[in-house]
Amino acid sequence: MMTKKQGQPPFENENGIHTAFDENMTYGEYLQLDQVLGAQKRLSGHHDEMLFIIIHQVSELWMKLILHEIQSSIAAIEADDLSTAQKCLSRVTKTQSQIIQAWDVLSTLTPSEYIEFRPFLGQASGFQSYQYRMIEFALGYKTPHVLKIYQKDADLKEELLKSYAAKSLYDVSIHCLQRNGLTIDETILCRDVEDTYEYNESVKEAWKSVYLNNEKYWELYELAEKLIDIEDSFQQWRFRHMKTVERIIGFKKGTGGSSGVGYLKKVIDQQFFPELWMIRTEL
């Protein structure tokens, strides 16, 4: 038979646990859970709309962390602190895995369930995610026409323009190659960073030298692999996005006006770091 002492809840044996919070900050207050957990406002009242909202809100939170870590890695690379940059980029990849897995949860939504609340979305769409655009900008893919989407909010537009005009993760990595004695065309070092990055032969040869002499350029070699990890994960995310959309709405147009699956299939082929992929054939 269990004694009274054995049957006591673990909580009762923890004499140091704080229980008085009249003047102290609680866990919920620190995380502002009243705002976070109060932000799920279903417009249709349909049961499955809650899933749809939470998946997208969680993904936006993960994207906020991705941006935070990429921006920190950019600053670290510019300071030639590659070990810190690699730590940040490793965290980016781990975070990307969470977003990829989120599609598995959303794919439990069936077409018949989604059509019950889809009309309530109006023209709102994940296509309009400004954090997603900022991640694209930070990785070097910049298209000015997408900025038109954000005219409604002047402060947000300003933030996006600042992100658009900043050097990308790949830009600072290429400059780091040059600082380490590898030859990079001046046109690339002085390029307009508001243009989408395009393949360059000198950059390919520089990365090729890094891979062929990885002991000499060990930190650059590790940086290159971190960049590949990020692009690989980004493409996996895009693929899962495309297949989840196809599973739920087929080939209908997106609520934001895009061609839906057709558009998502096209972006899967976009590359951020083309030279790092090219050298794999040549090594």
Side-chain angles (χ1 to χ4, degrees), residues 88-102:
C88 293
L89 296 177
S90 291
R91 186 172 291 164
V92 168
T93 306
K94 293 295 184 182
T95 306
Q96 287 176 298
S97 70
Q98 297 298 312
I99 298 183
I100 293 168
Q101 290 174 19

Side-chain angles (χ1 to χ4, degrees), residues 208-267:
K208 190 174 179 180
S209 293
V210 168
Y211 275 78
L212 291 173
N213 302 278
N214 55 67
E215 290 186 4
K216 178 180 178 180
Y217 299 113
W218 183 255
E219 285 195 316
L220 290 171
Y221 177 63
E222 286 194 314
L223 174 61
E225 285 298 290
K226 297 299 182 190
L227 295 177
I228 284 290
D229 287 343
I230 286 172
E231 180 156 346
D232 190 348
S233 294
F234 201 94
Q235 299 297 46
Q236 289 182 50
W237 183 89
R238 281 173 161 171
F239 180 78
R240 290 296 298 124
H241 184 188
M242 181 268 293
K243 294 306 293 184
T244 302
V245 170
E246 184 178 1
R247 176 173 176 153
I248 296 174
I249 67 168
F251 287 83
K252 295 188 185 79
K253 272 194 169 186
T255 50
S258 75
S259 58
V261 169
Y263 168 79
L264 296 173
K265 283 185 175 180
K266 291 176 186 176
V267 299

Side-chain angles (χ1 to χ4, degrees), residues 11 14-21 24-25:
F11 175 81
E14 295 290 335
N15 296 325
I17 290 178
H18 297 290
T19 57
F21 289 96
N24 295 306
M25 179 176 63

Side-chain angles (χ1 to χ4, degrees), residues 140 170 188 191 195-201 203 272 274-275:
Y170 203 42
I188 291 296
R191 80 180 196 89
D195 293 333
T196 294
Y197 181 82
E198 294 183 359
Y199 172 88
N200 177 267
E201 189 72 12
V203 174
F272 299 115
E275 297 86 359

Side-chain angles (χ1 to χ4, degrees), residues 49-65:
E49 190 182 357
M50 183 65 77
L51 163 68
F52 190 82
I53 291 171
I54 288 176
I55 285 293
H56 288 85
Q57 287 180 340
V58 168
S59 294
E60 289 291 336
L61 284 172
W62 283 129
M63 281 192 269
K64 184 171 184 176
L65 180 59

